[in-house]
Amino acid sequence: MLEMIDVCKTFNPGTVNEKVALDRLSLRLEEGDFVTVIGGNGAGKSTCLNAVAGSFAVDSGKILLGGVDITHMPAHVRAKYLGRVFQDPMMGTAPDMWIEENLALAARRGKKRGLKWSISERERAEYRELLAPLGLGLENRLQTKVGLLSGGQRQALTLVMATLKKPQLLLLDEHTAALDPKTAAVVLELSDRVVQEHSLTTMMVTHNMRDALAHGNRLIMMDEGRVKLDVRGEEKKKLTVRDLLEVFEI
Amino acid sequence: MNAISSFTASLPGACAQGLIWGIMALGVFLTFRVLNTSDLTVDGSIATGGAACIMLIRSGVPAWTAALAAACCGMLAGLVTGLLHTRCRIPAILSGILTQLALYSVNLRIMGSKANQPVSVDKYSLMLSQRYVRAAGLSNPIPLLVMIISALIGLAYYFFGTEIGCAVRATGNNRVMARAQGIDTDRATILGLIVANGLVAFSGALLSQYQGFADVNMGRGAIVIGLAAVIIGEVVFGKLLALNFALRMSSVVFGAIVYYIVLQLVLALGLNTNDLKLISAVIVAAFLTLPNMKGGDRDA
């Protein structure tokens, strides 16, 4: 599904701020994997996700997605394979545009955009049905600017947008870190539901070890730009926070 | 008394000028508010529009065709700025300044190395002329301008409701999100700059016909007038209605008209015309300050 082969990335090379973010990172995700990614600050978790998303050019190595080499593909082109939810709730939506306009933009991810009206009446009905199960009342506020929504509402909306057109890979970058615990739980639960419903291959970066253990079928711990621990299936189910902390200390 | 009568006499002219500059301000609105960048190309592209239009008319091209061709020249200028900004990664403001500077030479070339080229309404059939601004009937430029502006706002409203138009708006609103949704933000930015400078050059074409000449300096400070129109429109009309996109654009045009009326008022009070730019800057600074005085968020 996703294959990262010897991917390297150094930020600010040759300066005092030089930072090796990815150090010959190799990683292979199977179809349907839901991987939670943990690690300390600067371990390379977000950099890993951003390398896949194409936020920057990697220094060396290869990234394959579904057999396609996307290493040198511009971010907006590979966007057609990817759904993304960011840590910052402001990042995933256009605040001055309506809820339905944001959804309509997401519905056209990877499609050619033309001079057709941006949203149809049929889509509107579809979006209402999509938003209703969230229980946030967004289905009745389609023509509200997204900037007026709370952080949690925005993350929920971004999640819906990221999966509106089924992505090959869903990237969740600490997407609940900026939310209060209650809202975070709601958004996490929603993420679980969406991932299962569409059987999405998913990478979720998190700082919360409990969340990392409770979600997904596989757990990766990163350290200094490489994979330090990779457990899956039954083995992962037996893992405890204490176990993780022990590995973390090494 | 004299001041009042000269002020009222100048009102139709102020309205016509406001309408013409309103078209230019629509271009500024597009870059400043929709694309969320500052495009300084406009000081040059408005003069390019004027120069191209006048020279074409003088060589026998019908006025409407000349004005549309002038708009295309402006679009080219927008394209250059867009390429400098996106392909060469030069900051938007600097890209605009570079194009604007280059256009000064280009404009002189267009006008046959003269700083000023006249076009007489007696000799050529123009779209509009200052001469008839107080006349009744079809020769009066104001109804024509209102019609053109309505058409342009209608077109722009439609365009920004389409898939491509929404992609441009999303690009201005949140680049990261736009790219994550598969939008080529570079292309969207270029497209926005092209459309904006097309509008600006079209306004220059109308302005040069209206005043009966094109001048290489006619665009000096244009960006300030454009910004003034956008801001005045927002300050004066923004609170009245929950503005949709078409009304926001209309408020920009009204902003331009208000600007010219205020300017006439100031002149009628006996201020020196040499102080015009100073007065303009003060008016714009005042209107830019106003929204911040109402206790807006201090952190922003």
Side-chain angles (χ1 to χ4, degrees), chain A residues 130-139 153 156-157 160 186 190 193-194:
Chain A
L130 264 172
L131 294 174
L134 303 184
L136 297 169
L138 298 182
E139 66 276 11
Q153 288 174 325
L157 177 64
V160 172
V186 171
L190 176 66
R193 195 168 1 134
V194 178

Side-chain angles (χ1 to χ4, degrees), chain A residues 129-183:
Chain A
E129 273 176 39
L130 264 172
L131 294 174
L134 303 184
L136 297 169
L138 298 182
E139 66 276 11
N140 302 319
R141 301 173 66 189
L142 283 184
Q143 305 198 339
T144 299
K145 281 186 183 175
V146 172
L148 298 173
L149 305 184
S150 69
Q153 288 174 325
R154 279 204 201 188
Q155 284 308 63
L157 177 64
T158 310
L159 198 59
V160 172
M161 286 166 61
T163 51
L164 190 54
K165 274 201 70 215
K166 188 183 167 182
Q168 286 193 38
L169 178 64
L170 179 63
L171 301 173
L172 307 173
D173 188 0
E174 291 188 49
H175 67 310
T176 57
L179 307 176
D180 66 73
K182 196 170 150 241
T183 315

Side-chain angles (χ1 to χ4, degrees), chain B residues 120-180:
Chain B
S120 163
V121 67
D122 299 318
K123 238 168 107 185
Y124 302 95
S125 159
L126 302 181
M127 290 164 71
L128 71 175
S129 169
Q130 190 167 15
R131 183 184 295 175
Y132 307 120
V133 77
R134 274 183 221 87
L138 281 177
S139 60
N140 191 302
I142 292 176
L144 174 74
L145 286 168
V146 170
M147 261 164 25
I148 291 176
I149 287 172
S150 311
L152 286 175
I153 290 179
L155 264 175
Y157 180 75
Y158 175 78
F159 176 72
F160 285 104
T162 65
E163 292 170 348
I164 295 180
C166 274
V168 175
R169 283 166 58 207
T171 299
N173 209 213
N174 182 348
R175 238 160 237 274
V176 176
M177 172 270 191
R179 233 170 282 146

